[in-house]
């Protein structure tokens, strides 16, 4: 059974930091890129960051500068380190996986849309108070 389980969300004050984790199981981790998305109430989902199994990283506008994605392939886990958090970072954060590395794969240009993701987690809530 494929599972993506997010953890690490919670309530934090503006300026604080959180580290989210995404634990993957049920598929060959090395064959997939893992991405973080977020969705705030009343807003559309947006891509935060993505990492391929060879360590290549991509950031959406919401993830540039303050967020860092990393991966521990031995643990099949991807992390999102978030710093200098702002109230507008309040959202449910989801991780998702998309197969990559095959002929025709174009994760760099498609991950942020989210529509091509093969698997999704259930999300973890991040609340940033002012």
């Amino acid at each position: 059974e494929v599972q993506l389980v997010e953890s690490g969300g919670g309530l934090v004050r503006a300026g604080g930091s959180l580290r989210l984790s995404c634990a993957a199981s049920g598929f060959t981790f090395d064959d997939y890129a893992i991405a973080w998305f977020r969705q705030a109430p009343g807003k559309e989902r947006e891509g935060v960051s993505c990492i391929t199994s060879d360590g290549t990283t991509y950031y959406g506008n919401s993830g540039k500068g303050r967020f860092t994605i990393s991966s521990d392939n031995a643990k099949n886990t991807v992390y999102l380190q978030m710093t200098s958090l702002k109230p507008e970072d309040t959202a449910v954060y989801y991780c998702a996986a998309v197969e990559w590395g095959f002929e025709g794969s174009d994760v760099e240009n498609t991950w942020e849309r989210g529509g091509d993701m093969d698997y999704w987690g259930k999300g973890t809530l991040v609340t940033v108070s002012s």
Side-chain angles (χ1 to χ4, degrees), residues 1-128:
E1 178 188 7
V2 171
Q3 283 193 314
L4 291 170
V5 180
E6 303 95 337
S7 61
L11 175 63
V12 63
R13 288 190 174 184
S17 299
L18 280 176
R19 188 178 80 157
L20 305 183
S21 299
C22 172
S25 61
F27 59 91
T28 304
F29 191 76
D30 288 350
D31 291 342
Y32 284 77
I34 306 293
W36 286 98
F37 296 84
R38 71 183 187 184
Q39 188 164 22
K43 295 189 176 181
E44 291 188 356
R45 182 184 65 205
E46 56 181 347
V48 177
S49 187
C50 179
I51 187 167
T52 59
S53 57
D54 68 354
T56 303
T57 59
Y58 308 102
Y59 291 90
N61 288 334
S62 61
K64 290 177 183 176
R66 297 180 294 119
F67 296 176
T68 303
I69 194 169
S70 62
S71 178
D72 185 338
N73 288 6
K75 295 182 178 180
N76 288 3
T77 299
V78 171
Y79 304 98
L80 185 69
Q81 180 69 49
M82 306 187 295
T83 63
S84 302
L85 284 162
K86 304 175 182 179
E88 50 264 45
D89 294 318
T90 295
V92 177
Y93 285 71
Y94 301 89
C95 66
V98 61
E99 193 173 8
W100 81 287
F102 56 90
E103 185 174 348
S105 172
D106 189 16
V107 169
E108 179 178 4
N109 294 308
T110 62
W111 75 270
E112 202 167 354
R113 294 199 301 260
D116 293 334
M117 294 292 150
D118 296 306
Y119 308 115
W120 288 85
K122 294 182 178 180
T124 185
L125 176 63
V126 172
T127 304
V128 183

